[in-house]
Amino acid sequence: MPPLVPPFLIGLVVAPLAKRLLKPLMLGVVKTSVGIVLEVKKAAHEAGENIHDLAAEVAADVVAAQIAAGDVGVRSGDGQGAAAGNGESADRTEGEARSPKIRATAGAGKVN
């Protein structure tokens, strides 16, 4: 009968060898994965910027077409007509900006 080597002795010999071989391999896999994730994130950000730029160009073209067509009822961003203001725009100079609206829930966080 051939001598039997217990499996735990094989594990004691193979484990250090596997560690030496697998550690650099796993390190390379992790570095590559992180690099790929960063490249995908960068590409997605650039695609989002391109879509935003395209939407801005289309909006500008639509506004330009409305102005060229003589559409006097051009609406401002808040939904009110440009000529149908409540007098606030006449009181402000060109350099002044509107103050932001403060909500009652601003600053109130959830209590867990």
Side-chain angles (χ1 to χ4, degrees), residues 52-100:
H52 180 72
D53 292 344
L54 182 63
E57 287 178 21
V58 169
D61 288 345
V62 168
V63 170
Q66 287 176 348
I67 291 172
D71 189 7
V72 180
V74 176
R75 293 190 169 270
S76 62
D78 59 356
Q80 297 178 353
N86 57 2
E88 287 182 15
S89 60
D91 295 341
R92 282 184 266 137
T93 61
E94 288 185 23
E96 292 181 23
R98 286 179 39 183
S99 61

Side-chain angles (χ1 to χ4, degrees), residues 1-23:
M1 204 160 127
L4 294 174
V5 179
F8 75 92
L9 288 177
I10 294 173
L12 288 175
V13 172
V14 172
L17 294 174
K19 182 180 176 183
R20 285 186 199 159
L21 294 175
L22 292 178
K23 186 174 180 179

Side-chain angles (χ1 to χ4, degrees), residues 35-57:
I36 290 172
V37 167
L38 291 177
E39 288 294 323
V40 167
K41 187 176 179 181
K42 181 180 175 184
H45 181 71
E46 288 176 0
E49 285 181 353
N50 289 340
I51 290 173
H52 180 72
D53 292 344
L54 182 63
E57 287 178 21

